[in-house]
Amino acid sequence: MGSDGQLSVPNHTIIPFIIGDGIGPDIWRAAVRVFDAAVNKGYGGQRSITWKEVLAGEKAFNETGSWLPKETLDVFRTYLVGIKGPLTTPIGEGIRSLNVALRKELDLYVCLRPTKWYEGVPSPIKNPQNVNMVVFRENTEDIYAGIEFAAGTDEAQKLQRFLKQEAHVVYNFTDTTGIGIKLVSEEGSKRLMRSAIEYAIAHGLPSVTVVHKGNIMKYTEGAFKKWSFEVAETEYGDVTYTWGQWERVRAEKGQEAANAAQKEAEEQGRIIVKDMIADNFLQQILLAPKDFSVIATLNLNGDYISDALAAMVGGIGIAPGANINYKTGHAIFEATHGTAPRFANTNTMNPSSVILSGVMMLEYMGWQEAADIIVKALSQTIKNKTVTVDFYNLMDDALLMKTSEFADKIIEKF
Ligand code: NAD
């Protein structure tokens, strides 16, 4: 990572990967062949990737006795960019989730989830081609801070006493009340929003929508909206136009003037920064998906939103993701689904989730040619109805492919 904030990637680069548990090895083995073939096709030997395996999850536990060996974190810290398969969540091991631990250790504050429809992918909605959104989900705060106290514990009771006696909260606490704490900071909100706006600028996208529950949780969700708008207006005022500005013009000069000002901003190609309450947003993505482009949201809302959007364009078998710290450059790319343990070693699951996560990684590295080659071939393969079982079950006249065969078909298209 250069001092200018630009990632500088060697032409022959080393990338650490975690193979993952459950279906992880099947989909990784298919995906890595696609990556290597695409890089080879795109750069004819001028660029290459050496894959460096690091351990996490069940495989790590079986081989080293630790679910997340320190060496794995050190390697990701050193190499900056990596990719991982899904990991089993150890139960009762003192680790809430390995994914959360990785994100926390490397302060990967953006969970990036693009949602785009590929022609031919079965979708539950009528016009999936209208869905093209990129979710920026805050990845370190909100419920991910994981501060919770079980009902009946000393901590929960002490907290109740504090809330009643010192914070003067009027609430009928009982011994059976568990307590969770929601944390949202100005720094956390602002760095997420900066990333979302930078992304919209870099990709020439029309809007950033801040999704929140600020109507109910004023000092967390509401503050997130306020801080996000502040970033847009004070740091990116020359390229954005916010609904906050619209409201101020309306208050001063009336609705027509406000609409005219926004129209002018749109014509100038400014990024429109709007906001929406999360529940309304979840209906609007179904009713008017064309209205949304980049989404900035806190952790819990982002969780629901990204899965709902994934379902609209074909489900988690094709949903890629990344966890990124744009300041340090650290980034771990990953499929968004879990280990689907019932299907482990069946060579039947859809590797598109990991393949498209790899596409995001190549784009992040600036290896756009290789990324484009994969996207084009993957789209054609699905369009030709040569698909894995998840899509096969929903398509007429499709040809059923094993995980490995699906990768072969993609590589043939190169
Ligand atoms: P899951 O995502 O593993 O599977 C749910 C269902 O989705 C599967 O039964 C399967 O029908 C479908 N599916 C998942 N991946 C698919 C693919 N590539 N192609 C086609 N269909 C696919 O969810 P789960 O069963 O709730 O979780 C299993 C384990 O995974 C748990 O231990 C959980 O903690 C873990 N998990 C890990 C991650 C991660 O590592 N990022 C994310 C979620 C869950």
Side-chain angles (χ1 to χ4, degrees), residues 23 27 84-91 97-99 103 113 316-318 334-343 348-354 388-391:
I23 61 170
I27 56 178
K84 66 173 275 294
L87 296 173
T88 306
T89 300
I91 296 170
S97 143
L98 295 172
N99 299 305
R103 291 169 199 173
R113 300 256 179 105
I316 50 181
I318 193 166
E334 63 170 357
T336 63
H337 58 71
T339 56
R342 281 202 311 127
F343 301 99
T348 56
M349 292 288 100
N350 194 342
S352 300
S353 52
V354 188
T388 45
V389 65
D390 49 333
F391 289 176

Side-chain angles (χ1 to χ4, degrees), residues 19 50 75 96 99 123 163 180 200 353 367 375 380 383:
I19 199 161
T50 301
V75 169
R96 226 163 225 267
N99 299 305
S123 162
L163 291 171
S353 52
W367 294 18
V375 169
Q380 282 172 1
K383 206 167 144 191

